[in-house]
Amino acid sequence: MSDSHLIDRQQPLGRAAHSAAFSPLYQQIKGLILQGLDRGEWKPGEAIPSELELAARFQVSQGTVRKAIDELAADNLLIRRQGKGTFVATHNEAKVRYRFLRLTPDDGQPAASSSQILDCRRAKASADVAAMLDLRAGDAVISMRRVLSFNDSPTILDEIWLPGSLFKGLTLEFLQRYRGPVYAMFETEFGVSMVRAEEKIRAVAATEAQAELLRIGAGSPLLQVERVAYTYGDRPVELRRGHYVTERYYYRNSLN
Amino acid sequence: MSDSHLIDRQQPLGRAAHSAAFSPLYQQIKGLILQGLDRGEWKPGEAIPSELELAARFQVSQGTVRKAIDELAADNLLIRRQGKGTFVATHNEAKVRYRFLRLTPDDGQPAASSSQILDCRRAKASADVAAMLDLRAGDAVISMRRVLSFNDSPTILDEIWLPGSLFKGLTLEFLQRYRGPVYAMFETEFGVSMVRAEEKIRAVAATEAQAELLRIGAGSPLLQVERVAYTYGDRPVELRRGHYVTERYYYRNSLN
DNA sequence: CAGTGGTCTAGACCACGTG
DNA sequence: ACGTGGTCTAGACCACTGC
């Protein structure tokens, strides 16, 4: 019973429904499952309990649990697999691996990609970085830069800031040893799951330094993508400023 | 009875479920409602029949209709309003009016906007325009250009192509007389509802002509946004190439 | 074969909007 | 008071997976 912190439904809702604290049962269940994810009760890639188990645990019907899970699956936090169960989404999977990489080649898609880490150091958060990561100015952050190349032509220059408290042990050597997508590493090595991101996109002219790293002319147009990525509970855990060469690649987007 | 073209469910599904034509009942209902929208059985802004009416018409339970409507509402084709009914989405509404305009000012949001039409003429589709609009090269298209200004500074230069067959009577004079968002006009005046769009985004250098119209220096970085917009049934009905000045505005995007 | 999620139904009660 | 969509429940049968 101590597992359940739901609004008491034994009393018919009546006026209680008008109170600010009211939310539908399935939303409360959704919140409880989210807490479980956040606590790490089920790790990325693992199955969560079956709908019937969760229904028993939370003392609601299977249908209510189902609606909660439906929404979490729609948000890409969970993945349903018929006949097998419901699994915690992970970046270690072909299907959703490049969910956050929107750059697409003009022609056929496959491209050999490689990453070169330029630097990685601990620093104190400037006022603006702190604001975007919900830190205080001067708090410890990790700052790194890298160049991503496709088919050996440098295409993306990324500058990344992370809260120091969450990524202890993230060093240049560690990064250089690591293979594969950064978000998969954050998840596996530091237990931080990126779940959602907001981007601000502009066209800018390449500075001298950027031009040299990307092997283009100074002043060439670059797509600037400033991203704040969030984990469970909408807590910001990464700030990334990317500069993309969009000669043979474009940023794809769908509007609904 | 002639209203219903569902797969026969009197026969238990059995192996039929393995056939290519199989889809869940609620998906079939969704398709039927979509056809109604496409036919114009219910106009944008109008209410569709209540869930119980549709359930009776299609000979399924209210729950099945509900699931179909849920998906259409998630796609922004329908809008549910508690106590009132379910309505056909429209661009003539404050809430969703600027659904497709992703440009946002760096500071406070409101900005007086004005549109200047540069030209509007009938033409024959070039091969590439035809391909993107699902036409044949040489088919009639309408081609127009305009400049959008915010707070009196020119910010967006749009070039738009439309299938001539759908937009008869769209002339320069007509455009200049019209007030308000283009998609609302397409919907109200030509019965074409934009439902979804795909964009390809790049950074480019402004040409002389673009620079003059946008009052910036030639070669300045511009955000190029190439959009194909679709109506019901994923039929492309607009091609638009926009160039945005992103000095004081940015293109916002959310990744899930 | 058993267990999982997927689909479908039926019915209850609620909150909201309108008359 | 009535009709709408919103929430919740209960139970049936299906399809997929793995033992």
Side-chain angles (χ1 to χ4, degrees):
Chain A
M1 288 304 113
S2 71
D3 211 339
S4 150
H5 305 84
L6 307 180
I7 292 182
D8 189 355
R9 306 293 286 232
Q10 305 307 75
Q11 316 273 48
L13 289 178
R15 309 213 69 75
H18 293 171
S19 84
F22 170 78
S23 77
L25 235 201
Y26 74 89
Q27 289 282 4
Q28 299 175 46
I29 304 300
K30 183 180 175 184
L32 291 173
I33 297 175
L34 241 164
Q35 283 175 33
L37 291 168
D38 197 5
R39 275 198 312 273
E41 184 168 345
W42 317 290
K43 300 290 181 205
E46 290 179 10
I48 67 171
S50 77
E51 296 179 349
L52 280 172
E53 279 180 81
L54 289 171
R57 151 140 45 141
F58 297 134
Q59 298 285 294
V60 298
S61 79
Q62 186 192 12
T64 301
V65 170
R66 174 169 302 233
K67 188 151 183 179
I69 293 180
D70 278 345
E71 292 206 350
L72 292 167
D75 292 344
N76 291 308
L77 299 196
L78 296 177
I79 300 176
R80 291 173 166 293
R81 275 192 271 237
Q82 182 169 154
K84 301 187 69 172
T86 300
F87 297 77
V88 182
T90 168
H91 288 271
N92 290 297
E93 242 176 85
K95 279 192 52 174
V96 278
R97 195 125 150 196
Y98 297 105
R99 208 155 38 109
F100 287 0
L101 179 58
R102 304 298 276 267
L103 214 56
T104 307
D106 287 339
D107 37 32
Q109 46 251 45
S113 78
S114 69
S115 166
Q116 182 200 353
I117 312 291
L118 301 179
D119 49 50
C120 174
R121 56 196 182 73
R122 322 200 105 254
K124 291 189 183 305
S126 63
D128 57 330
V129 168
M132 289 193 266
L133 287 177
D134 243 353
L135 303 174
R136 273 189 287 268
D139 281 359
V141 291
I142 293 169
S143 154
M144 59 173 279
R145 295 188 310 149
R146 65 164 183 181
V147 174
L148 282 182
S149 299
F150 299 119
N151 292 328
D152 290 322
S153 73
T155 305
I156 299 181
L157 171 59
D158 273 331
E159 223 174 330
I160 300 177
W161 292 266
L162 303 163
S165 55
L166 293 178
F167 292 90
K168 295 187 202 300
L170 180 56
T171 62
L172 180 59
E173 294 69 38
F174 185 90
L175 282 168
Q176 282 169 337
R177 259 201 337 269
Y178 200 92
R179 294 277 159 257
V182 182
Y183 286 171
M185 180 201 68
F186 288 171
E187 183 181 291
T188 307
E189 304 294 329
F190 299 93
V192 178
S193 295
M194 301 301 182
V195 146
R196 195 178 73 76
E198 296 284 342
E199 296 189 330
K200 298 181 179 183
I201 303 171
R202 322 177 107 94
V204 301
T207 64
E208 293 277 354
Q210 292 167 342
E212 192 174 342
L213 288 164
L214 293 168
R215 285 195 234 132
I216 54 175
S220 297
L222 288 178
L223 198 69
Q224 183 193 71
V225 180
E226 185 179 285
R227 171 191 299 176
V228 179
Y230 300 83
T231 189
Y232 303 117
D234 269 334
R235 282 174 288 123
V237 283
E238 182 202 50
L239 169 64
R240 178 185 295 213
R241 184 145 32 218
H243 287 86
Y244 302 177
V245 180
T246 54
E247 300 276 340
R248 285 179 299 279
Y249 294 81
Y250 61 88
Y251 182 108
R252 80 196 132 75
N253 197 27
S254 301
L255 308 182
N256 300 298
Chain B
M1 288 303 116
S2 71
D3 211 341
S4 152
H5 305 84
L6 306 180
I7 291 180
D8 188 356
R9 306 293 287 231
Q10 305 306 77
Q11 316 275 48
L13 290 178
R15 310 212 67 75
H18 294 171
S19 84
F22 171 78
S23 78
L25 236 201
Y26 74 90
Q27 290 282 5
Q28 299 177 45
I29 304 300
K30 183 180 174 184
L32 290 174
I33 297 175
L34 241 164
Q35 283 176 32
L37 291 168
D38 197 5
R39 275 200 310 274
E41 185 170 343
W42 317 290
K43 300 289 180 207
E46 291 179 9
I48 68 171
S50 76
E51 294 179 350
L52 280 171
E53 279 180 83
L54 290 171
R57 146 131 60 134
F58 297 134
Q59 298 284 293
V60 297
S61 79
Q62 185 190 14
T64 301
V65 170
R66 175 169 301 230
K67 188 152 183 178
I69 293 180
D70 278 346
E71 292 206 352
L72 291 167
D75 292 344
N76 291 309
L77 300 196
L78 296 177
I79 300 176
R80 292 174 166 292
R81 275 190 268 234
Q82 182 169 150
K84 300 188 69 174
T86 301
F87 297 78
V88 182
T90 168
H91 288 271
N92 290 298
E93 242 176 85
K95 280 193 53 175
V96 276
R97 195 126 150 193
Y98 297 106
R99 211 155 37 109
F100 288 179
L101 179 57
R102 304 297 276 266
L103 215 55
T104 307
D106 287 340
D107 38 32
Q109 46 252 44
S113 78
S114 68
S115 166
Q116 182 200 354
I117 313 289
L118 301 180
D119 48 51
C120 173
R121 56 195 183 74
R122 320 199 106 252
K124 290 190 184 304
S126 63
D128 57 329
V129 167
M132 289 194 268
L133 287 177
D134 243 353
L135 303 174
R136 273 190 287 269
D139 282 358
V141 291
I142 293 169
S143 154
M144 57 173 281
R145 294 188 309 148
R146 65 163 184 181
V147 174
L148 283 181
S149 299
F150 299 119
N151 292 328
D152 290 322
S153 73
T155 304
I156 299 182
L157 171 59
D158 273 330
E159 222 173 331
I160 301 178
W161 291 267
L162 303 164
S165 55
L166 293 178
F167 292 90
K168 295 186 202 301
L170 181 55
T171 62
L172 181 58
E173 295 69 38
F174 186 90
L175 283 168
Q176 284 169 336
R177 261 202 334 270
Y178 200 90
R179 295 276 159 259
V182 182
Y183 286 171
M185 179 200 69
F186 288 171
E187 183 181 291
T188 307
E189 304 293 330
F190 298 93
V192 178
S193 295
M194 300 301 183
V195 145
R196 197 178 71 76
E198 295 285 342
E199 295 189 329
K200 298 181 179 182
I201 303 171
R202 323 176 105 93
V204 300
T207 64
E208 293 277 356
Q210 292 167 341
E212 192 174 342
L213 288 164
L214 292 168
R215 283 193 236 134
I216 54 176
S220 297
L222 288 178
L223 199 70
Q224 181 193 74
V225 180
E226 184 179 286
R227 171 191 298 177
V228 179
Y230 300 83
T231 188
Y232 303 117
D234 269 335
R235 281 175 288 126
V237 283
E238 183 203 49
L239 168 63
R240 180 185 292 213
R241 185 146 30 221
H243 287 87
Y244 302 176
V245 180
T246 54
E247 300 276 340
R248 287 180 298 279
Y249 294 81
Y250 61 88
Y251 182 107
R252 79 196 133 75
N253 198 27
S254 300
L255 309 183
N256 298 298

